[in-house]
Amino acid sequence: MNRRPLSRVLRSLEEDDKSTNLACLDLIDVNSSVGCIFIKLPNCDQVDSENAVKRLVTEIQICEGILEANHCTTIKSIQNVLMAISGLPHQSNSYLDDLAKAAISIKKRIPHTTMGMHLGPAFATIIGRDQITYDVFGDTPNTASRMLTSSPPNGIHCSESVVSELRSNFFFSPLQLTQCKGKGLLTTALLLTEQSCVEFDAEEEVSLLSSDKLGFSV
Protein backbone atom coordinates (compact mmCIF):
# COMPACT_ATOMS: atom_id res chain seq x y z
CA MET A 1 0.00 0.00 0.00
CA ASN A 2 1.42 3.39 -1.01
CA ARG A 3 1.36 5.64 2.09
CA ARG A 4 3.36 8.76 2.83
CA PRO A 5 3.35 11.26 5.72
CA LEU A 6 1.02 14.18 5.04
CA SER A 7 3.87 16.70 5.38
CA ARG A 8 5.75 14.96 2.57
CA VAL A 9 2.58 14.81 0.47
CA LEU A 10 2.05 18.55 0.84
CA ARG A 11 5.70 19.26 0.01
CA SER A 12 5.46 17.15 -3.14
CA LEU A 13 2.25 18.88 -4.13
CA GLU A 14 3.97 22.25 -3.83
CA GLU A 15 6.79 21.06 -6.08
CA ASP A 16 4.59 19.51 -8.78
CA ASP A 17 2.06 20.86 -11.26
CA LYS A 18 0.19 23.80 -9.72
CA SER A 19 -3.21 22.82 -11.10
CA THR A 20 -2.82 19.35 -9.58
CA ASN A 21 -1.77 20.95 -6.33
CA LEU A 22 -4.96 23.01 -6.05
CA ALA A 23 -7.18 20.03 -6.87
CA CYS A 24 -5.52 17.81 -4.25
CA LEU A 25 -5.36 20.46 -1.55
CA ASP A 26 -9.09 21.05 -1.95
CA LEU A 27 -9.61 17.41 -0.89
CA ILE A 28 -8.24 17.93 2.62
CA ASP A 29 -11.26 17.60 4.91
CA VAL A 30 -11.23 18.89 8.49
CA ASN A 31 -13.70 17.95 11.21
CA SER A 32 -13.65 19.03 14.85
CA SER A 33 -15.37 15.80 15.99
CA VAL A 34 -14.46 12.42 14.52
CA GLY A 35 -14.89 9.00 16.05
CA CYS A 36 -11.90 6.71 15.51
CA ILE A 37 -11.49 3.04 16.38
CA PHE A 38 -8.66 0.53 16.17
CA ILE A 39 -9.67 -3.14 16.04
CA LYS A 40 -7.22 -5.95 16.81
CA LEU A 41 -8.40 -9.32 15.58
CA PRO A 42 -7.53 -12.39 17.70
CA ASN A 43 -5.03 -15.15 17.01
CA CYS A 44 -3.56 -13.46 13.93
CA ASP A 45 -0.26 -12.09 15.22
CA GLN A 46 1.57 -14.56 12.95
CA VAL A 47 -0.07 -14.98 9.56
CA ASP A 48 2.31 -17.70 8.40
CA SER A 49 0.05 -20.21 6.67
CA GLU A 50 -2.63 -20.27 3.99
CA ASN A 51 -5.32 -21.13 6.51
CA ALA A 52 -4.25 -18.25 8.77
CA VAL A 53 -4.43 -15.83 5.84
CA LYS A 54 -7.90 -17.09 4.86
CA ARG A 55 -9.14 -16.73 8.45
CA LEU A 56 -7.74 -13.21 8.71
CA VAL A 57 -9.25 -12.15 5.37
CA THR A 58 -12.63 -13.54 6.43
CA GLU A 59 -12.55 -11.69 9.76
CA ILE A 60 -11.51 -8.43 8.08
CA GLN A 61 -14.42 -8.79 5.65
CA ILE A 62 -16.80 -9.36 8.57
CA CYS A 63 -15.51 -6.21 10.30
CA GLU A 64 -15.76 -4.13 7.13
CA GLY A 65 -19.31 -5.34 6.53
CA ILE A 66 -20.41 -4.44 10.06
CA LEU A 67 -18.70 -1.04 9.87
CA GLU A 68 -20.30 -0.24 6.52
CA ALA A 69 -23.73 -1.32 7.78
CA ASN A 70 -23.32 1.18 10.63
CA HIS A 71 -22.28 4.04 8.31
CA CYS A 72 -18.60 3.91 9.35
CA THR A 73 -15.58 4.05 7.04
CA THR A 74 -12.73 1.54 7.12
CA ILE A 75 -9.47 3.46 6.57
CA LYS A 76 -6.87 0.70 6.48
CA SER A 77 -5.74 -2.63 7.84
CA ILE A 78 -2.20 -3.54 8.87
CA GLN A 79 -1.80 -7.27 9.50
CA ASN A 80 -4.55 -8.04 12.04
CA VAL A 81 -5.36 -4.43 13.06
CA LEU A 82 -8.05 -2.32 11.37
CA MET A 83 -8.60 1.42 11.64
CA ALA A 84 -12.02 2.93 11.01
CA ILE A 85 -13.75 6.27 11.55
CA SER A 86 -17.18 7.84 11.78
CA GLY A 87 -17.98 11.50 11.12
CA LEU A 88 -15.79 11.63 8.00
CA PRO A 89 -16.30 11.73 5.06
CA HIS A 90 -20.04 11.42 5.81
CA GLN A 91 -21.63 13.04 8.86
CA SER A 92 -24.78 12.27 10.82
CA ASN A 93 -26.15 13.12 14.25
CA SER A 94 -25.57 9.53 15.41
CA TYR A 95 -22.09 8.96 13.99
CA LEU A 96 -20.46 8.06 17.34
CA ASP A 97 -23.40 5.85 18.37
CA ASP A 98 -22.99 4.09 15.02
CA LEU A 99 -19.30 3.44 15.71
CA ALA A 100 -20.07 2.09 19.20
CA LYS A 101 -22.79 -0.19 17.82
CA ALA A 102 -20.37 -1.47 15.20
CA ALA A 103 -17.78 -2.21 17.89
CA ILE A 104 -20.29 -4.16 19.96
CA SER A 105 -21.46 -6.12 16.91
CA ILE A 106 -17.87 -6.98 15.94
CA LYS A 107 -17.16 -8.22 19.45
CA LYS A 108 -20.22 -10.49 19.27
CA ARG A 109 -19.30 -11.87 15.84
CA ILE A 110 -15.57 -12.27 16.51
CA PRO A 111 -14.92 -13.13 20.18
CA HIS A 112 -11.66 -12.08 21.83
CA THR A 113 -11.35 -9.00 19.63
CA THR A 114 -9.75 -5.98 21.38
CA MET A 115 -10.56 -2.38 20.42
CA GLY A 116 -9.70 1.22 21.25
CA MET A 117 -11.93 4.27 20.62
CA HIS A 118 -11.42 8.02 20.82
CA LEU A 119 -13.40 11.11 19.83
CA GLY A 120 -11.72 14.32 18.71
CA PRO A 121 -10.65 16.55 15.81
CA ALA A 122 -9.06 15.06 12.70
CA PHE A 123 -8.43 15.82 9.08
CA ALA A 124 -8.34 13.57 6.05
CA THR A 125 -7.05 13.64 2.52
CA ILE A 126 -6.39 11.48 -0.49
CA ILE A 127 -2.83 10.22 -0.82
CA GLY A 128 -0.92 8.51 -3.59
CA ARG A 129 -0.46 8.55 -7.33
CA ASP A 130 -0.38 4.93 -8.46
CA GLN A 131 -2.52 3.65 -5.59
CA ILE A 132 -4.99 6.26 -4.35
CA THR A 133 -5.87 5.96 -0.67
CA TYR A 134 -8.00 7.93 1.80
CA ASP A 135 -6.31 8.48 5.16
CA VAL A 136 -6.93 10.34 8.42
CA PHE A 137 -4.40 12.34 10.44
CA GLY A 138 -4.10 14.13 13.75
CA ASP A 139 -3.96 13.32 17.44
CA THR A 140 -7.32 11.53 17.41
CA PRO A 141 -6.11 8.41 15.53
CA ASN A 142 -2.99 8.40 17.72
CA THR A 143 -5.05 8.45 20.92
CA ALA A 144 -7.40 5.75 19.60
CA SER A 145 -4.34 3.60 18.92
CA ARG A 146 -3.18 4.16 22.50
CA MET A 147 -6.62 3.10 23.73
CA LEU A 148 -6.10 -0.18 21.88
CA THR A 149 -2.59 -0.86 23.14
CA SER A 150 -3.53 -0.11 26.77
CA SER A 151 -6.78 -2.11 26.66
CA PRO A 152 -7.28 -5.33 28.60
CA PRO A 153 -7.80 -8.35 26.32
CA ASN A 154 -11.25 -8.49 24.71
CA GLY A 155 -12.13 -4.95 25.81
CA ILE A 156 -13.56 -1.99 23.91
CA HIS A 157 -11.37 0.63 25.58
CA CYS A 158 -12.68 4.21 25.31
CA SER A 159 -11.32 7.63 26.12
CA GLU A 160 -13.21 10.01 28.40
CA SER A 161 -14.48 12.00 25.41
CA VAL A 162 -16.23 8.88 24.09
CA VAL A 163 -17.70 8.04 27.49
CA SER A 164 -19.00 11.59 27.98
CA GLU A 165 -20.73 11.54 24.62
CA LEU A 166 -22.27 8.06 24.86
CA ARG A 167 -22.99 7.51 28.56
CA SER A 168 -26.72 8.25 28.12
CA ASN A 169 -27.19 5.39 25.62
CA PHE A 170 -24.51 2.83 26.53
CA PHE A 171 -23.20 1.02 29.60
CA PHE A 172 -19.56 1.58 30.55
CA SER A 173 -17.28 0.21 33.25
CA PRO A 174 -16.28 2.67 36.01
CA LEU A 175 -13.84 5.35 34.89
CA GLN A 176 -10.18 4.48 35.48
CA LEU A 177 -6.84 6.24 35.20
CA THR A 178 -4.82 4.39 32.58
CA GLN A 179 -1.16 4.77 31.71
CA CYS A 180 -0.87 5.28 27.94
CA LYS A 181 2.42 5.36 26.08
CA GLY A 182 3.31 8.90 25.07
CA LYS A 183 0.16 10.26 26.73
CA GLY A 184 0.65 9.72 30.44
CA LEU A 185 -2.39 9.00 32.61
CA LEU A 186 -5.71 9.24 30.77
CA THR A 187 -9.22 8.76 32.10
CA THR A 188 -10.76 5.77 30.32
CA ALA A 189 -13.49 3.14 30.57
CA LEU A 190 -14.67 0.00 28.81
CA LEU A 191 -17.70 0.09 26.53
CA LEU A 192 -19.95 -2.78 27.58
CA THR A 193 -23.25 -2.66 25.70
CA GLU A 194 -26.22 -0.51 24.74
CA GLN A 195 -28.62 0.47 27.51
CA SER A 196 -31.45 -0.97 25.41
CA CYS A 197 -30.11 -4.47 26.21
CA VAL A 198 -32.38 -5.74 28.99
CA GLU A 199 -30.52 -8.90 30.04
CA PHE A 200 -27.16 -7.55 31.09
CA ASP A 201 -24.97 -7.80 34.19
CA ALA A 202 -22.46 -4.94 34.08
CA GLU A 203 -20.44 -6.18 37.08
CA GLU A 204 -20.06 -9.64 35.56
CA GLU A 205 -18.99 -8.17 32.21
CA VAL A 206 -16.33 -6.00 33.84
CA SER A 207 -14.93 -8.95 35.81
CA LEU A 208 -14.71 -11.04 32.64
CA LEU A 209 -12.63 -8.32 31.00
CA SER A 210 -10.12 -8.23 33.89
CA SER A 211 -10.51 -4.46 34.13
CA ASP A 212 -7.96 -4.26 36.97
CA LYS A 213 -5.35 -3.99 34.19
CA LEU A 214 -6.65 -0.53 33.36
CA GLY A 215 -5.11 1.25 36.33
CA PHE A 216 -6.42 3.10 39.35
CA SER A 217 -10.05 4.01 39.95
CA VAL A 218 -10.97 7.67 39.69
Side-chain angles (χ1 to χ4, degrees):
M1 186 172 290
N2 180 23
R3 293 193 176 278
R4 294 170 290 168
L6 182 59
S7 59
R8 198 192 314 171
V9 173
L10 295 178
R11 283 199 302 270
S12 66
L13 288 175
E14 291 172 354
E15 295 167 359
D16 293 338
D17 179 74
K18 297 300 182 182
S19 61
T20 302
N21 293 352
L22 293 175
C24 292
L25 289 172
D26 284 343
L27 294 174
I28 297 177
D29 195 4
V30 182
N31 195 323
S32 60
S33 186
V34 175
C36 183
I37 188 168
F38 280 80
I39 305 164
K40 184 176 182 181
L41 298 170
N43 305 318
C44 296
D45 291 325
Q46 292 184 336
V47 185
D48 53 6
S49 69
E50 184 177 349
N51 287 336
V53 172
K54 289 180 178 178
R55 182 177 66 250
L56 176 59
V57 169
T58 298
E59 291 181 346
I60 289 175
Q61 290 174 338
I62 291 172
C63 289
E64 290 179 334
I66 292 173
L67 289 162
E68 182 179 3
N70 285 277
H71 316 294
C72 304
T73 302
T74 302
I75 298 299
K76 56 188 169 185
S77 61
I78 302 175
Q79 196 80 345
N80 64 327
V81 177
L82 282 77
M83 173 187 171
I85 60 170
S86 61
L88 276 175
H90 308 295
Q91 294 179 321
S92 71
N93 292 332
S94 61
Y95 71 93
L96 193 61
D97 291 63
D98 292 338
L99 190 61
K101 290 176 182 178
I104 293 169
S105 296
I106 289 170
K107 184 180 175 183
K108 290 178 179 178
R109 286 290 304 276
I110 309 175
H112 311 298
T113 299
T114 303
M115 297 173 245
M117 285 180 61
H118 181 56
L119 172 68
F123 51 96
T125 189
I126 293 174
I127 297 176
R129 294 183 182 275
D130 299 326
Q131 299 180 41
I132 305 300
T133 60
Y134 180 77
D135 212 339
V136 178
F137 302 87
D139 185 63
T140 295
N142 183 45
T143 303
S145 176
R146 294 294 181 258
M147 291 296 102
L148 172 66
T149 56
S150 61
S151 176
N154 315 329
I156 306 175
H157 194 200
C158 301
S159 64
E160 187 175 18
S161 61
V162 173
V163 178
S164 298
E165 189 71 21
L166 296 180
R167 67 168 71 245
S168 60
N169 295 325
F170 293 83
F171 285 114
F172 288 89
S173 68
L175 289 171
Q176 308 273 338
L177 286 175
T178 304
Q179 186 69 42
C180 298
K181 182 178 179 181
K183 295 287 184 181
L185 286 173
L186 298 181
T187 303
T188 70
L190 296 174
L191 172 62
L192 303 178
T193 191
E194 287 186 80
Q195 292 190 12
S196 58
C197 296
V198 291
E199 296 182 2
F200 178 72
D201 188 332
E203 291 186 2
E204 180 181 356
E205 180 75 2
V206 172
S207 65
L208 289 174
L209 289 169
S210 302
S211 62
D212 59 308
K213 291 185 65 177
L214 286 174
F216 302 100
S217 294
V218 175

